[in-house]
PDB file of all heavy atoms in Angstrom:
ATOM      1  N   PHE A  98     -27.739   9.567  -8.627  1.00 98.00           N
ATOM      2  CA  PHE A  98     -26.560  10.443  -8.612  1.00 98.00           C
ATOM      3  C   PHE A  98     -26.974  11.914  -8.591  1.00 98.00           C
ATOM      4  O   PHE A  98     -26.374  12.715  -7.871  1.00 98.00           O
ATOM      5  CB  PHE A  98     -25.666  10.166  -9.826  1.00 98.00           C
ATOM      6  CG  PHE A  98     -24.617   9.124  -9.587  1.00 98.00           C
ATOM      7  CD1 PHE A  98     -24.920   7.775  -9.682  1.00 98.00           C
ATOM      8  CD2 PHE A  98     -23.317   9.481  -9.271  1.00 98.00           C
ATOM      9  CE1 PHE A  98     -23.961   6.802  -9.466  1.00 98.00           C
ATOM     10  CE2 PHE A  98     -22.337   8.527  -9.050  1.00 98.00           C
ATOM     11  CZ  PHE A  98     -22.655   7.179  -9.148  1.00 98.00           C
ATOM     12  N   GLU A  99     -27.966  12.267  -9.381  1.00 97.00           N
ATOM     13  CA  GLU A  99     -28.410  13.664  -9.415  1.00 97.00           C
ATOM     14  C   GLU A  99     -28.997  14.089  -8.073  1.00 97.00           C
ATOM     15  O   GLU A  99     -28.808  15.225  -7.642  1.00 97.00           O
ATOM     16  CB  GLU A  99     -29.417  13.875 -10.547  1.00 97.00           C
ATOM     17  CG  GLU A  99     -28.783  13.815 -11.923  1.00 97.00           C
ATOM     18  CD  GLU A  99     -27.670  14.836 -12.112  1.00 97.00           C
ATOM     19  OE1 GLU A  99     -27.863  16.026 -11.780  1.00 97.00           O
ATOM     20  OE2 GLU A  99     -26.588  14.444 -12.599  1.00 97.00           O
ATOM     21  N   ALA A 100     -29.696  13.191  -7.399  1.00 97.00           N
ATOM     22  CA  ALA A 100     -30.221  13.494  -6.062  1.00 97.00           C
ATOM     23  C   ALA A 100     -29.101  13.569  -5.034  1.00 97.00           C
ATOM     24  O   ALA A 100     -29.176  14.338  -4.076  1.00 97.00           O
ATOM     25  CB  ALA A 100     -31.248  12.440  -5.652  1.00 97.00           C
ATOM     26  N   LEU A 101     -28.049  12.789  -5.236  1.00 98.00           N
ATOM     27  CA  LEU A 101     -26.906  12.783  -4.319  1.00 98.00           C
ATOM     28  C   LEU A 101     -26.075  14.062  -4.419  1.00 98.00           C
ATOM     29  O   LEU A 101     -25.579  14.567  -3.412  1.00 98.00           O
ATOM     30  CB  LEU A 101     -26.025  11.558  -4.623  1.00 98.00           C
ATOM     31  CG  LEU A 101     -24.734  11.409  -3.824  1.00 98.00           C
ATOM     32  CD1 LEU A 101     -25.042  11.189  -2.349  1.00 98.00           C
ATOM     33  CD2 LEU A 101     -23.909  10.252  -4.395  1.00 98.00           C
ATOM     34  N   LYS A 102     -25.958  14.585  -5.617  1.00 96.00           N
ATOM     35  CA  LYS A 102     -25.067  15.726  -5.878  1.00 96.00           C
ATOM     36  C   LYS A 102     -25.267  16.895  -4.911  1.00 96.00           C
ATOM     37  O   LYS A 102     -24.282  17.394  -4.347  1.00 96.00           O
ATOM     38  CB  LYS A 102     -25.212  16.182  -7.334  1.00 96.00           C
ATOM     39  CG  LYS A 102     -24.240  17.259  -7.716  1.00 96.00           C
ATOM     40  CD  LYS A 102     -24.166  17.575  -9.201  1.00 96.00           C
ATOM     41  CE  LYS A 102     -25.396  17.434  -9.997  1.00 96.00           C
ATOM     42  NZ  LYS A 102     -25.240  17.850 -11.399  1.00 96.00           N
ATOM     43  N   PRO A 103     -26.481  17.354  -4.633  1.00 96.00           N
ATOM     44  CA  PRO A 103     -26.607  18.477  -3.689  1.00 96.00           C
ATOM     45  C   PRO A 103     -26.458  18.067  -2.216  1.00 96.00           C
ATOM     46  O   PRO A 103     -26.341  18.929  -1.348  1.00 96.00           O
ATOM     47  CB  PRO A 103     -28.012  19.012  -3.956  1.00 96.00           C
ATOM     48  CG  PRO A 103     -28.766  17.881  -4.554  1.00 96.00           C
ATOM     49  CD  PRO A 103     -27.760  17.051  -5.285  1.00 96.00           C
ATOM     50  N   GLN A 104     -26.433  16.769  -1.941  1.00 96.00           N
ATOM     51  CA  GLN A 104     -26.323  16.296  -0.558  1.00 96.00           C
ATOM     52  C   GLN A 104     -24.887  16.233  -0.052  1.00 96.00           C
ATOM     53  O   GLN A 104     -24.659  16.256   1.154  1.00 96.00           O
ATOM     54  CB  GLN A 104     -26.922  14.883  -0.421  1.00 96.00           C
ATOM     55  CG  GLN A 104     -28.384  14.792  -0.706  1.00 96.00           C
ATOM     56  CD  GLN A 104     -28.847  13.339  -0.695  1.00 96.00           C
ATOM     57  OE1 GLN A 104     -28.184  12.450  -0.175  1.00 96.00           O
ATOM     58  NE2 GLN A 104     -30.006  13.094  -1.282  1.00 96.00           N
ATOM     59  N   VAL A 105     -23.931  16.075  -0.952  1.00 97.00           N
ATOM     60  CA  VAL A 105     -22.533  15.894  -0.554  1.00 97.00           C
ATOM     61  C   VAL A 105     -21.641  16.874  -1.303  1.00 97.00           C
ATOM     62  O   VAL A 105     -21.942  17.261  -2.428  1.00 97.00           O
ATOM     63  CB  VAL A 105     -22.045  14.447  -0.798  1.00 97.00           C
ATOM     64  CG1 VAL A 105     -22.828  13.453   0.039  1.00 97.00           C
ATOM     65  CG2 VAL A 105     -22.118  14.081  -2.260  1.00 97.00           C
ATOM     66  N   ALA A 106     -20.580  17.266  -0.661  1.00 94.00           N
ATOM     67  CA  ALA A 106     -19.569  18.126  -1.291  1.00 94.00           C
ATOM     68  C   ALA A 106     -18.200  17.531  -0.999  1.00 94.00           C
ATOM     69  O   ALA A 106     -17.443  18.039  -0.177  1.00 94.00           O
ATOM     70  CB  ALA A 106     -19.676  19.554  -0.764  1.00 94.00           C
ATOM     71  N   PRO A 107     -17.868  16.420  -1.671  1.00 95.00           N
ATOM     72  CA  PRO A 107     -16.636  15.715  -1.350  1.00 95.00           C
ATOM     73  C   PRO A 107     -15.382  16.451  -1.821  1.00 95.00           C
ATOM     74  O   PRO A 107     -15.386  17.106  -2.856  1.00 95.00           O
ATOM     75  CB  PRO A 107     -16.792  14.387  -2.077  1.00 95.00           C
ATOM     76  CG  PRO A 107     -17.667  14.708  -3.239  1.00 95.00           C
ATOM     77  CD  PRO A 107     -18.611  15.762  -2.747  1.00 95.00           C
ATOM     78  N   ASP A 108     -14.335  16.303  -1.027  1.00 93.00           N
ATOM     79  CA  ASP A 108     -13.016  16.793  -1.428  1.00 93.00           C
ATOM     80  C   ASP A 108     -12.273  15.712  -2.206  1.00 93.00           C
ATOM     81  O   ASP A 108     -11.454  16.012  -3.066  1.00 93.00           O
ATOM     82  CB  ASP A 108     -12.205  17.175  -0.186  1.00 93.00           C
ATOM     83  CG  ASP A 108     -12.875  18.269   0.623  1.00 93.00           C
ATOM     84  OD1 ASP A 108     -13.249  19.304   0.031  1.00 93.00           O
ATOM     85  OD2 ASP A 108     -13.047  18.084   1.837  1.00 93.00           O
ATOM     86  N   VAL A 109     -12.559  14.445  -1.871  1.00 93.00           N
ATOM     87  CA  VAL A 109     -11.936  13.286  -2.523  1.00 93.00           C
ATOM     88  C   VAL A 109     -13.023  12.247  -2.764  1.00 93.00           C
ATOM     89  O   VAL A 109     -13.890  12.049  -1.914  1.00 93.00           O
ATOM     90  CB  VAL A 109     -10.822  12.677  -1.633  1.00 93.00           C
ATOM     91  CG1 VAL A 109     -10.267  11.408  -2.241  1.00 93.00           C
ATOM     92  CG2 VAL A 109      -9.707  13.679  -1.397  1.00 93.00           C
ATOM     93  N   ILE A 110     -12.960  11.582  -3.928  1.00 95.00           N
ATOM     94  CA  ILE A 110     -13.924  10.537  -4.263  1.00 95.00           C
ATOM     95  C   ILE A 110     -13.164   9.267  -4.626  1.00 95.00           C
ATOM     96  O   ILE A 110     -12.236   9.296  -5.435  1.00 95.00           O
ATOM     97  CB  ILE A 110     -14.815  10.955  -5.452  1.00 95.00           C
ATOM     98  CG1 ILE A 110     -15.562  12.247  -5.134  1.00 95.00           C
ATOM     99  CG2 ILE A 110     -15.784   9.824  -5.814  1.00 95.00           C
ATOM    100  CD1 ILE A 110     -16.299  12.845  -6.309  1.00 95.00           C
ATOM    101  N   PHE A 111     -13.598   8.154  -4.029  1.00 95.00           N
ATOM    102  CA  PHE A 111     -13.074   6.844  -4.393  1.00 95.00           C
ATOM    103  C   PHE A 111     -14.191   6.075  -5.089  1.00 95.00           C
ATOM    104  O   PHE A 111     -15.303   5.977  -4.567  1.00 95.00           O
ATOM    105  CB  PHE A 111     -12.623   6.061  -3.156  1.00 95.00           C
ATOM    106  CG  PHE A 111     -11.435   6.650  -2.468  1.00 95.00           C
ATOM    107  CD1 PHE A 111     -11.574   7.264  -1.237  1.00 95.00           C
ATOM    108  CD2 PHE A 111     -10.173   6.588  -3.041  1.00 95.00           C
ATOM    109  CE1 PHE A 111     -10.470   7.810  -0.586  1.00 95.00           C
ATOM    110  CE2 PHE A 111      -9.070   7.131  -2.406  1.00 95.00           C
ATOM    111  CZ  PHE A 111      -9.220   7.745  -1.171  1.00 95.00           C
ATOM    112  N   THR A 112     -13.886   5.544  -6.274  1.00 97.00           N
ATOM    113  CA  THR A 112     -14.854   4.735  -7.016  1.00 97.00           C
ATOM    114  C   THR A 112     -14.096   3.771  -7.906  1.00 97.00           C
ATOM    115  O   THR A 112     -12.878   3.627  -7.787  1.00 97.00           O
ATOM    116  CB  THR A 112     -15.828   5.631  -7.813  1.00 97.00           C
ATOM    117  OG1 THR A 112     -16.938   4.853  -8.254  1.00 97.00           O
ATOM    118  CG2 THR A 112     -15.152   6.321  -8.982  1.00 97.00           C
ATOM    119  N   HIS A 113     -14.794   3.148  -8.825  1.00 96.00           N
ATOM    120  CA  HIS A 113     -14.185   2.153  -9.695  1.00 96.00           C
ATOM    121  C   HIS A 113     -13.294   2.793 -10.754  1.00 96.00           C
ATOM    122  O   HIS A 113     -13.494   3.940 -11.162  1.00 96.00           O
ATOM    123  CB  HIS A 113     -15.277   1.335 -10.383  1.00 96.00           C
ATOM    124  CG  HIS A 113     -16.121   0.578  -9.408  1.00 96.00           C
ATOM    125  ND1 HIS A 113     -15.689  -0.569  -8.801  1.00 96.00           N
ATOM    126  CD2 HIS A 113     -17.364   0.817  -8.923  1.00 96.00           C
ATOM    127  CE1 HIS A 113     -16.625  -1.016  -7.981  1.00 96.00           C
ATOM    128  NE2 HIS A 113     -17.649  -0.184  -8.038  1.00 96.00           N
ATOM    129  N   TYR A 114     -12.353   1.994 -11.225  1.00 94.00           N
ATOM    130  CA  TYR A 114     -11.457   2.360 -12.314  1.00 94.00           C
ATOM    131  C   TYR A 114     -12.268   2.584 -13.592  1.00 94.00           C
ATOM    132  O   TYR A 114     -13.183   1.817 -13.896  1.00 94.00           O
ATOM    133  CB  TYR A 114     -10.427   1.240 -12.492  1.00 94.00           C
ATOM    134  CG  TYR A 114      -9.505   1.387 -13.659  1.00 94.00           C
ATOM    135  CD1 TYR A 114      -8.632   2.469 -13.740  1.00 94.00           C
ATOM    136  CD2 TYR A 114      -9.483   0.441 -14.679  1.00 94.00           C
ATOM    137  CE1 TYR A 114      -7.760   2.593 -14.811  1.00 94.00           C
ATOM    138  CE2 TYR A 114      -8.612   0.560 -15.745  1.00 94.00           C
ATOM    139  CZ  TYR A 114      -7.756   1.632 -15.811  1.00 94.00           C
ATOM    140  OH  TYR A 114      -6.890   1.766 -16.862  1.00 94.00           O
TER     141      TYR A 114
END
Side-chain angles (χ1 to χ4, degrees):
F98 270 82
E99 289 302 312
L101 177 65
K102 185 170 32 176
Q104 297 174 18
V105 297
D108 300 309
V109 175
I110 302 171
F111 293 109
T112 194
H113 298 283
Y114 174 62

